């Protein structure tokens, strides 16, 4: 028996207003934070992979994860007695435009449970239709579920704030998808991910109430969020909501700095995909920066404007916070203090970003000269196709005693075409290494100490886009070995793990323009 059953709490549904209708028919839901809805029963559920680390942290034993009950509960096949599943109501701005009511169209929260004084929401993704499914089927396919399961755990182990993924299942159902939106529909394997977070409340939950001038429920939701997730805020009235907004802005900023540090591109930073906890949420057409190119986005839907490109993530976060500010405005009714927080966002971001880049370079001193080193480096990295992960990891091998030529040899593995570099940018690199090595000589730090520190912020292994795709291709043929292997590697992304050295490599040529490796759609 799952011990978790005795720890179930239903805070969200007990304290916030429910939709009075209990059917999953698509509709506008007013004056409610959620709708009760049961998951659809999967045809033939089976377990593909459990994150034992997540299970343990939630008080679920290894034994329990192997049980029939675990399989049934976390695929939606059985609903625990003291729980009543639901879908959340939210709205959002998508690609810069107001999109109205959205809501959990393919996510159903089962319950909340308390373990070690921590309350966690358990949510199924791909468990059937809800009132918010609009034209969708409420289901998810294997490829996108593998991507969410692996990436959330990879991000967690990299130290990036994120939702977690407890387990990945096949539903046994077939799901129809048009991967490239070009009229070629095909059946794919259906899958379910059980993901967890303190809550799945998004900026969009607040936007929904404000768009309907429902200040009563806006206040209820905001008070609820502060009480449970920002208990350090003790003030009352407007001040309380301002402090809340500032705290969300801070957490969001910290998350974005981490994304830029590891080269993660979310791909769909709509306000409905922005967590109120500042954690990475809704893994869709995300991607990892291989070539350091600030203009890159993995999302084909965004190809034209590239709104959600790597280099634009901080600006988009600020824009999304502006939408949250608008949503909270009825509780504050003063523009100036909100503007102040928003205007501070890029200033604080710049300071954090500069500090983060110093850490990546192993520089302790921070001044105009080191800022220039950072600026010139990012400029150089953009000149030719250069692998971000390999560059920074190998940079830690550079020593104060190295000649600039030697230093270059140590990082040259990061270039996709060494000929191109030798033709065009070799001199610029020589100049940069002169500055960098001179700076290292000025710093009171042993090479070995610097290397150790750099290796704690520059991962050796990330979930490269082609790696996830290879695991997906195998899993489609019922072979989960690679999926298991990638999960294992990504548990310790900062460690050398010589047995996995083959994954410390540039994207292979075949993956450059392959669907799933470099370009992804929202068709998950
Ligand atoms: P996303 O871009 O994945 O964050 O989704 C945006 C909105 O579309 C959310 O309201 C989702 O719940 C909804 N949605 C996405 N895919 C589906 C689907 N297959 N069935 C129903 N709703 C979906
Ligand atoms: Mg979403």
């Amino acid at each position: 028996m799952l011990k978790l059953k005795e720890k179930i709490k239903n805070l969200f549904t007990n304290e916030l207003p429910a939709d009075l209708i209990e059917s999953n028919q698509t509709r506008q839901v007013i004056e409610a934070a959620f709708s009760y809805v049961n998951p659809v029963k999967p045809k033939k559920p089976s377990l593909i992979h459990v994150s034992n680390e997540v299970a343990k942290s939630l008080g679920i034993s290894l034994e329990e994860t192997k049980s029939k009950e675990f399989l049934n509960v976390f695929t939606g096949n059985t609903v625990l007695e003291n729980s009543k599943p639901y879908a959340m109501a939210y709205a959002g701005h998508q690609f810069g435009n107001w999109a109205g009511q959205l809501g959990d169209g393919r996510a159903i929260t089962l319950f909340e449970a308390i373990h070690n004084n921590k309350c966690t929401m358990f949510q199924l993704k791909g468990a059937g239709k809800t009132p918010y499914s609009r034209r969708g089927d409420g289901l998810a396919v294997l490829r996108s579920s593998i991507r969410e399961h692996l990436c959330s755990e990879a991000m967690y182990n990299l130290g990036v704030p994120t939702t977690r993924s407890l387990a990945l299942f096949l539903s046994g159902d077939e799901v129809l998808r048009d991967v490239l939106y070009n009229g070629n529909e095909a059946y794919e394997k259906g899958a379910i991910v059980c993901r967890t977070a303190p809550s799945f409340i998004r900026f969009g939950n607040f936007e929904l109430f404000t768009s309907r001038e429902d200040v009563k429920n806006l206040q209820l939701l905001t008070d609820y969020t502060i009480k449970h997730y920002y208990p350090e805020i003790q003030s009352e009235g407007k001040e309380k909501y301002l402090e809340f907004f500032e705290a969300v802005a801070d957490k969001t900023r910290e998350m974005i700095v981490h994304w830029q540090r590891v080269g993660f591109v979310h791909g769909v930073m709509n306000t409905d995909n922005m967590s109120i906890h500042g954690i990475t949420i809704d893994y869709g057409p995300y991607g990892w920066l291989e070539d350091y190119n600030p203009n890159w986005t993995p999302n084909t839907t965004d190809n034209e404007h590239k709104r959600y490109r790597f280099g634009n993530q901080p600006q988009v976060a600020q824009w999304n916070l502006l939408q949250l500010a608008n949503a909270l405005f009825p509780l504050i009714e003063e523009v100036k203090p909100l503007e102040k927080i928003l205007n501070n966002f890029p200033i604080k971001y710049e300071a954090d970003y500069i500090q983060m880049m110093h850490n990546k370079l192993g520089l302790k001193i921070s001044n105009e000269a080191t800022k220039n080193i950072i600026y010139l480096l990012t400029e150089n990295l953009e000149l030719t196709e250069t692998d971000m992960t390999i560059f920074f990891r190998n940079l830690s091998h550079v020593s104060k005693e190295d000649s600039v030529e030697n230093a270059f040899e140590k990082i040259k593995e990061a270039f996709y075409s060494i000929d191109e570099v030798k033709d065009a940018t070799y001199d610029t690199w020589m100049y940069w290494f002169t500055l960098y090595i001179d700076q290292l000589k000025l710093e009171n730090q042993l090479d070995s100490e610097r290397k150790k520190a750099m290796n704690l912020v520059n991962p050796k292994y990330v979930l490269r886009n082609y790696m996830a795709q290879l695991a997906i291709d195998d899993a489609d043929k019922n072979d989960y070995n690679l999926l298991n292997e990638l999960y294992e590697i990504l548990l310790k992304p900062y460690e050398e793990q010589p047995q996995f050295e083959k994954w410390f490599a540039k994207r292979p040529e075949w993956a450059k323009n392959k669907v799933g490796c470099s370009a992804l759609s929202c068709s998950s």
Side-chain angles (χ1 to χ4, degrees), residues 183-398:
N184 289 325
E185 282 188 329
Y187 280 102
E188 297 185 44
K189 289 181 182 177
I192 298 166
V193 158
C194 175
R195 60 184 186 176
T196 65
S199 94
F200 291 93
I201 301 172
R202 304 140 192 268
F203 290 11
N205 295 64
F206 302 84
E207 289 180 275
L208 179 66
F209 289 134
T210 304
S211 72
R212 290 174 176 166
E213 295 174 21
D214 183 355
V215 181
K216 183 178 137 224
N217 282 313
L218 170 69
Q219 185 160 9
L220 263 178
L221 175 69
T222 314
D223 287 343
Y224 173 89
T225 309
I226 296 171
K227 175 173 134 196
H228 292 291
Y229 308 114
Y230 290 88
E232 64 282 7
I233 298 176
Q234 292 292 323
S235 20
E236 287 300 326
K238 292 176 183 181
E239 191 48 40
K240 164 173 156 178
Y241 303 119
L242 271 172
E243 281 182 34
F244 169 61
F245 179 63
E246 186 160 27
V248 176
D250 285 342
K251 291 210 157 136
T252 304
R253 189 184 75 249
E254 285 162 22
M255 172 186 78
I256 303 285
V257 175
H258 280 292
W259 289 2
Q260 306 308 99
R261 171 175 65 85
V262 298
F264 175 78
V265 189
H266 184 284
V268 206
M269 287 178 71
N270 294 333
T271 57
D272 51 302
N273 290 337
M274 296 294 290
S275 156
I276 206 69
H277 306 287
I279 57 180
T280 315
I281 189 173
D282 277 12
Y283 291 88
Y286 68 81
W288 290 84
L289 210 56
E290 286 166 335
D291 168 29
Y292 184 87
N293 173 5
N295 291 324
W296 185 71
T297 174
N299 187 354
T300 49
T301 318
D302 194 23
N303 239 342
E304 194 185 339
H305 301 294
K306 301 198 190 303
R307 179 182 174 85
Y308 298 140
R309 62 190 183 271
F310 177 69
N312 207 31
Q313 296 189 125
Q315 285 80 349
V316 171
Q318 187 187 6
W319 191 89
N320 288 343
L321 283 161
L322 167 63
Q323 308 316 316
L324 180 64
N326 283 334
L328 296 174
F329 184 75
L331 305 178
I332 297 166
E333 290 180 312
E334 268 185 77
V335 176
K336 281 254 152 17
L338 283 167
E339 262 180 7
K340 194 171 159 209
I341 296 167
L342 283 168
N343 292 340
N344 268 334
F345 183 87
I347 299 168
K348 287 185 175 182
Y349 173 80
E350 189 59 21
D352 287 0
Y353 172 81
I354 291 288
Q355 181 55 54
M356 176 273 281
M357 289 301 283
H358 274 84
N359 297 343
K360 280 181 86 66
L361 289 170
L363 300 177
K364 282 196 164 165
I365 296 171
S366 175
N367 56 28
E368 284 313 307
T370 58
K371 278 187 204 159
N372 188 43
I373 289 175
I374 291 168
Y375 173 74
L376 289 178
L377 171 64
T378 51
E379 240 189 18
N380 274 4
L381 287 172
E382 286 175 45
L383 292 176
T384 58
E385 211 178 347
T386 312
D387 194 275
M388 177 180 176
T389 307
I390 298 178
F391 178 85
F392 282 102
R393 188 74 182 187
N394 283 0
L395 191 65
S396 71
H397 298 315
V398 172

Side-chain angles (χ1 to χ4, degrees), residues 70 90 102 114 149 196 216 240 253 268 294 328 399 447 451 453 504:
F70 182 86
Y90 55 83
L102 295 164
I114 296 192
H149 183 66
T196 65
K216 183 178 137 224
K240 164 173 156 178
R253 189 184 75 249
V268 206
L328 296 174
S399 131
D447 283 336
K451 184 185 177 105
F504 181 62

Side-chain angles (χ1 to χ4, degrees), residues 411-448:
I411 58 92
K412 74 172 189 197
E413 177 62 27
F415 298 120
Y416 279 80
S417 162
I418 191 71
D419 292 341
E420 196 188 345
V421 174
K422 291 232 153 131
D423 282 350
T425 60
Y426 189 72
D427 293 344
T428 357
W429 279 111
M430 290 300 112
Y431 176 62
W432 187 79
F433 273 113
T434 311
L435 297 181
Y436 183 59
I437 294 171
D438 282 352
Q439 184 61 35
L440 296 185
K441 286 179 183 156
L442 288 177
E443 303 221 346
N444 184 19
Q445 208 183 172
L446 293 174
D447 283 336
S448 58

